[in-house]
Amino acid sequence: MPELPEVETVKRLLAPQIVGRHILEGIALHTQVIAHPGADAFCDALRGQRVQGIDRKGKFLLMNLESGDYIVIHLRMTGSLYVAPPDFPLEKHTHIVLKLEGDRELRFVDMRRFGRMWLLGKDEEDSFSGVKKLGPEPFAAEFNGSYLQDALSNKSRAIKDCLLDQHIVTGIGNIYSDEILFASKIHPQRPASSLSAKECQRLSKLIPQVLLRAIEQNRISPEEYLKEKGQGYRSTPFFQVYGKKGQPCPACGEPLCRVMVAGRSSTYCPSCQK
Ligand SMILES: [Zn+2]
C-alpha cells in the first residue's frame, strides 16, 4: 500500500502535469471507485473545472479546483494515478479518466478496486473520507517529542500499532513503521506507554527523517513514472529491515526476525531494537 512517501511522490509528479488545466470531461468506467456523490454527479460537477492545486494529507491526495470544490483520493492497496496522452493504451483496471485540456488524461487505475474518490463541494462538510479525523502530519511543528509523549502516555498497545494509528500521526503504514522503529532502536512490541521522554523525542525526530529520505529515494522522472504506469516508484531497494526476515541486520549483522503485531507483520532486529 502506498504510504506517505509514495503519495507525496505521486503528488509531486502530478502537480506540474495537471495544475492550471481545465477538466474537459470526467469518465467513470467503474463507478464503485467514486464514493461520493454518485458517479453521474461526480462527472457532471467536474466538467469545465480548473485544477488549482494538489495537496496531500497523510495518505490522501486532495485535488483542489478553482471553484473551491475538491476531490479527495485514497489509493489504498493498489491504486495508481498517472497522466498520459489520449493514445496511450488504456489499462485493464482503469476506473476513472479525467480528460484535461492540452491533450492529456489523468487516469486512475486500481487492480483491487479498494481505492476511493470523494468530490466535496466548497462548503460541504466532509463527513465521508476520513480526512478530517487525521492526526498531525509528521512534518508539522506540532508533531514533536512532547506531543508524542502525551499521545502515547495512556496507550498500552504496541508502539508499532500506535504508529499505524492515523489519529496519532498520519501517513505511516506497515513498511515505514518497521523502518522508523529500526532507526529508533525500539522494539515493535514495546507498549507505547513504556517509551521514555527521550525515546519519544528521538522518535518524533526520526519519523520525519525516515519519511523524507524515502521521498528523496522515490524520486522518478515523469517519463519513467508513465512507463511504469504510475507504479514502480517505491524505494524498495533502500529498505533497511522491511520484508527482510532472516537477512543480516544492516547495523549489527544479527539475522532479522519477524513477529505479528496487532495483526500486522513486523520485521526487526532482536539485538538492536529494545
Ligand atoms: Zn541489529
Side-chain angles (χ1 to χ4, degrees), residues 18-58:
I18 65 170
V19 171
R21 293 182 187 271
H22 284 92
I23 299 168
L24 305 176
E25 192 186 0
I27 301 165
L29 298 167
H30 294 108
T31 56
Q32 76 187 73
V33 170
I34 300 168
H36 174 79
D40 289 345
F42 180 91
C43 294
D44 281 352
L46 290 184
R47 188 173 296 120
Q49 296 236 38
R50 187 170 165 271
V51 181
Q52 193 175 44
I54 182 160
D55 208 353
R56 181 195 54 74
K57 284 197 164 61

Side-chain angles (χ1 to χ4, degrees), residues 33-203:
V33 170
I34 300 168
H36 174 79
D40 289 345
F42 180 91
C43 294
D44 281 352
L46 290 184
R47 188 173 296 120
Q49 296 236 38
R50 187 170 165 271
V51 181
Q52 193 175 44
I54 182 160
D55 208 353
R56 181 195 54 74
K57 284 197 164 61
K59 300 179 205 169
F60 291 86
L61 284 170
L62 279 74
M63 199 195 299
N64 300 308
L65 306 170
E66 202 169 39
S67 63
D69 297 351
Y70 58 101
I71 307 171
V72 180
I73 304 165
H74 201 300
L75 302 172
R76 297 262 166 82
M77 302 292 285
T78 53
S80 65
L81 277 169
Y82 63 87
V83 175
D87 59 358
F88 192 80
L90 199 69
E91 278 183 274
K92 190 176 171 194
H93 300 286
T94 304
H95 305 312
I96 308 291
V97 176
L98 300 185
K99 289 182 175 289
L100 305 174
E101 63 178 318
D103 254 355
R104 54 185 66 188
E105 296 180 353
L106 176 64
R107 297 179 184 175
F108 178 74
V109 182
D110 190 356
M111 191 178 69
R112 299 191 56 185
R113 287 197 210 178
F114 292 132
R116 287 293 177 268
M117 291 191 181
W118 299 259
L119 173 67
L120 278 302
K122 185 182 171 197
D123 300 315
E124 190 175 357
E125 171 86 12
D126 179 7
S127 53
F128 310 100
S129 71
V131 165
K132 296 286 183 238
K133 292 180 189 157
L134 295 175
E137 278 283 315
F139 310 120
E142 61 178 303
F143 184 75
N144 54 36
S146 55
Y147 163 81
L148 202 54
Q149 200 185 356
D150 268 3
L152 301 180
S153 63
N154 60 352
K155 306 279 190 300
S156 54
R157 292 186 275 147
I159 181 62
K160 159 105 175 172
D161 192 23
C162 288
L163 291 183
L164 297 173
D165 184 338
Q166 304 297 302
H167 301 104
I168 295 174
V169 56
T170 64
I172 301 170
N174 206 33
I175 294 173
Y176 292 102
S177 56
D178 276 6
E179 296 293 304
I180 288 162
L181 289 170
F182 175 71
S184 312
K185 298 182 165 39
I186 296 171
H187 194 289
Q189 285 177 307
R190 277 267 301 278
S193 57
S194 75
L195 267 64
S196 67
K198 208 171 151 189
E199 285 174 315
C200 288
Q201 185 67 30
R202 198 168 75 226
L203 191 53

